Amino acid sequence: MSTQTESPTQESLTSERYPMLLFFDGECAFCNRWVNKVKLADHAHRIRYGTKQGHTFQQRVAPSHPKFAKVESVVLVKRRPDGSEDFLIRSASIREVIKGLPEFRFFEVVLQIFPTFLSDIGYRIFSKLRTPLFGKWHHCRVPIEDDKQLFVD
């Protein structure tokens, strides 16, 4: 499966202010902790966040991109300079999210060393182990007041 797809013509999920929208499993304990770390490291606030169980993903992404609805991965929507959007999954999405975040420099270098197909294999293995290792929440996160502009429903 391709890790990158151009968005069909529709209302944008991203903007110049927020050029990336990261969808994650809102019930995954690891995913929630990782998003917290990314949010704190992203001092420019270039990324917005949403859960794959949320309205935006279920009503706007899943119908037009059904392959992303079932994939065991975060889904990153990234704005292009011309305003169109790319959808990235697995290691390609992680590479893009952590690019330029000093707190993740080590992981950025590691992902640059390994070819995408190897990084994707590692991602797939980890995605199968994340719930048994880190647990599951029985509800999706509710952002605190200060973070509400960074989260979509």
Side-chain angles (χ1 to χ4, degrees):
M1 174 187 341
S2 170
T3 60
Q4 189 168 337
T5 316
E6 188 173 333
S7 173
T9 306
Q10 66 176 19
E11 184 182 342
S12 288
L13 293 165
T14 60
S15 66
E16 286 186 33
R17 170 70 184 99
Y18 299 107
M20 289 187 264
L21 175 54
L22 179 67
F23 291 104
F24 64 99
D25 180 351
E27 296 175 349
C28 168
F30 175 83
C31 301
N32 275 280
R33 289 183 190 109
W34 184 75
V35 163
N36 282 339
K37 289 182 185 301
V38 169
K39 184 180 66 67
L40 291 172
D42 181 23
H43 302 293
H45 302 297
R46 63 199 169 100
I47 307 169
R48 292 179 73 204
Y49 310 89
T51 64
K52 289 176 73 177
Q53 296 85 357
H55 176 80
T56 302
F57 188 83
Q58 292 298 317
Q59 299 299 315
R60 295 189 54 204
V61 176
S64 58
H65 299 285
K67 63 185 172 192
F68 296 137
K70 298 202 184 323
V71 72
E72 284 284 327
S73 174
V74 295
V75 176
L76 179 68
V77 184
K78 182 182 176 209
R79 186 178 187 86
R80 289 181 176 177
D82 67 2
S84 63
E85 296 171 329
D86 287 327
F87 287 71
L88 292 89
I89 59 172
R90 297 189 183 91
S91 62
S93 62
I94 301 301
R95 278 187 179 100
E96 196 61 41
V97 166
I98 67 174
K99 188 188 307 181
L101 299 179
E103 292 87 339
F104 291 93
R105 183 67 183 142
F106 171 78
F107 297 105
E108 185 179 358
V109 169
V110 168
L111 286 172
Q112 288 174 353
I113 292 170
F114 291 100
T116 301
F117 80 93
L118 283 179
S119 300
D120 280 349
I121 290 170
Y123 190 103
R124 287 178 177 175
I125 291 168
F126 182 78
S127 72
K128 299 293 183 201
L129 298 174
R130 65 189 164 95
T131 301
L133 289 174
F134 299 99
K136 192 171 188 169
W137 291 2
H138 298 291
H139 60 282
C140 289
R141 69 181 294 135
V142 177
I144 60 172
E145 193 64 37
D146 294 344
D147 291 340
K148 283 192 176 181
Q149 77 277 5
L150 297 177
F151 286 84
V152 299
D153 176 27

